[in-house]
Amino acid sequence: IAVLCKTAVARKLLLHAWKKRASLHTARIYKIDALSHFGAAVEACFFVLEIRPEASSTRCDVFDNFSDESPSYSLAYFDGHLVQDVTAFSRHRGLLGRDEHYTWRSGVKHDCSKVMELSHASIGYVNGLGEAALIEDAVLYPMLKSSDIGNGRIECRSSMLITQQYVGENTNSIRLTAPRAWNYLERHAHLLNRRGSVIYKNKPAFSIFGVGPYTFAPWKIAVSGFYKSLNFVKVGPVHDKPVVFDDTIYFLSCASKDEAVFLESLLLSDEAQSFLSSMIHWDEKRPITVDVLKRLSIRKLAAALGRESDYRRFTGLI
């Protein structure tokens, strides 16, 4: 079987085939320049599979181009995961496991940045439509975007309008606690009501998602899902308010600066970086995902680095 397809599709097919124990004898991926040949700005490949009865290969060689005689690397199926660096994964596979105390979260999802995200200006705040916005500070939180975290630029230049403290909370209270914000939301209801995702259907007016107690934790360790590096950054409060993120950022919430420093040091360690990198496919549009991050057990990592006592202290196990 040979087909031209997106590289991400080839990997998904491989993972499905390996999970189903399909009779794969060999698998090869040859990278192609889709922009040059087809005018398509995607990561694409020539994907070749050889099927034989009773075969059970769980390896796929990846070639940078058709003329290469040796693959640049190989994909493999280990412990239910698609791995691109078998050596690194095998070396640190003891770190695999879901952590019982630390949960990776994504930032706030609102799907209407022109209304919900406000830039700081001399006149106060300006929304994405270029309008001045007079809104109570009670519902505004300093925010960082994926580009900020990805570039290590921890300077909040904008704020996000947060309408709920938890998913599904009734938003009518904003009428009383922040009437100017409510009037602002009503003026732009035609844009907010146009949000296409089904998650907003039959929910309170001006609902948001990806919000909960973790959103308002004072300290966080954040990483951008879009950037091609595992740049974990600690983020603290700004003017005594917790910083919030857009939904392309993943983070762990922390109760204190000391805990944030502890987690940052763990995640920037060679062990953590090597383990996570072994499962990340950097040619993906969003290479870093919650699915990959949650495979790393923070507790096992702390133990491997001789920091288990700190882990126990911060998680209340002592």
Side-chain angles (χ1 to χ4, degrees):
I1 301 171
V3 62
L4 288 171
C5 62
K6 293 181 181 179
T7 309
V9 171
R11 285 194 292 261
K12 289 178 182 178
L13 286 170
L14 278 171
L15 183 58
H16 177 77
W18 286 334
K19 283 184 175 180
K20 296 296 182 180
R21 298 182 180 180
S23 301
L24 299 188
H25 179 62
T26 65
R28 302 188 302 280
I29 288 176
Y30 296 91
K31 296 181 181 180
I32 61 174
D33 186 347
L35 185 61
S36 173
H37 295 295
F38 305 106
V42 297
E43 295 292 337
C45 68
F46 186 60
F47 182 38
V48 183
L49 291 175
E50 184 180 356
I51 312 297
R52 289 187 186 179
E54 309 303 323
S56 59
S57 172
T58 55
R59 178 189 178 97
C60 175
D61 291 333
V62 181
F63 299 81
D64 288 334
N65 54 66
F66 285 106
S67 62
D68 287 355
E69 295 183 359
S70 300
S72 57
Y73 64 93
S74 297
L75 299 174
Y77 185 61
F78 268 79
D79 294 338
H81 303 297
L82 190 64
V83 177
Q84 76 162 4
D85 188 336
V86 177
T87 302
F89 181 83
S90 299
R91 188 187 309 127
H92 303 295
R93 67 190 303 174
L95 302 179
L96 186 66
R98 187 163 299 192
D99 198 89
E100 62 267 37
H101 290 284
Y102 289 109
T103 302
W104 286 98
R105 307 284 185 177
S106 59
V108 178
K109 182 176 178 62
H110 52 63
D111 291 311
C112 196
S113 60
K114 290 185 176 180
V115 174
M116 304 299 281
E117 296 178 9
L118 308 171
S119 300
H120 302 165
S122 58
I123 58 175
Y125 298 100
V126 175
N127 66 16
L129 302 169
E131 305 167 342
L134 185 62
I135 296 175
E136 293 87 350
D137 286 337
V139 293
L140 293 176
Y141 288 80
M143 72 165 292
L144 291 172
K145 296 186 177 184
S146 199
S147 57
D148 297 319
I149 295 297
N151 290 306
R153 187 174 54 230
I154 313 305
E155 179 183 352
C156 296
R157 297 169 294 171
S158 55
S159 295
M160 187 184 294
L161 202 170
I162 299 295
T163 57
Q164 295 165 303
Q165 297 289 303
Y166 56 88
V167 174
E169 181 184 16
N170 193 314
T171 55
N172 282 330
S173 60
I174 300 175
R175 294 177 186 266
L176 299 176
T177 59
R180 293 198 302 271
W182 184 262
N183 289 336
Y184 171 82
L185 290 166
E186 286 196 316
R187 286 199 308 274
H188 298 91
H190 63 289
L191 295 175
L192 291 162
N193 293 338
R194 199 183 297 165
R195 295 178 292 179
S197 177
V198 68
I199 63 174
Y200 300 107
K201 188 176 181 180
N202 300 323
K203 294 296 188 295
F206 319 129
S207 283
I208 57 179
F209 281 80
V211 63
Y214 46 86
T215 306
F216 307 101
W219 285 86
K220 302 176 178 80
I221 298 297
V223 64
S224 168
F226 280 142
Y227 278 65
K228 300 184 186 300
S229 64
L230 285 164
N231 185 28
F232 295 97
V233 180
K234 63 178 180 296
V235 178
V238 173
H239 302 308
D240 296 324
K241 297 193 78 170
V243 173
V244 299
F245 307 119
D246 68 30
D247 64 347
T248 65
I249 291 174
Y250 305 110
F251 68 94
L252 295 175
S253 56
C254 313
S256 66
K257 182 178 180 179
D258 286 346
E259 185 179 11
V261 170
F262 163 69
L263 288 174
E264 184 184 45
S265 67
L266 292 187
L267 293 168
L268 291 177
S269 68
D270 291 341
E271 289 81 356
Q273 296 276 310
S274 179
F275 174 75
L276 291 172
S277 293
S278 73
M279 297 176 287
I280 293 175
H281 307 287
W282 295 109
D283 57 351
E284 294 274 13
K285 182 179 179 181
R286 189 185 294 203
I288 301 172
T289 65
V290 164
D291 181 59
V292 170
L293 293 170
K294 70 183 182 183
R295 296 173 193 170
L296 172 64
S297 167
I298 303 295
R299 184 172 191 170
K300 291 180 179 178
L301 176 61
L305 295 175
R307 304 287 301 278
E308 189 168 14
S309 61
D310 291 324
Y311 178 93
R312 297 175 65 85
R313 173 163 58 91
F314 289 121
T315 57
L317 293 176
I318 293 180

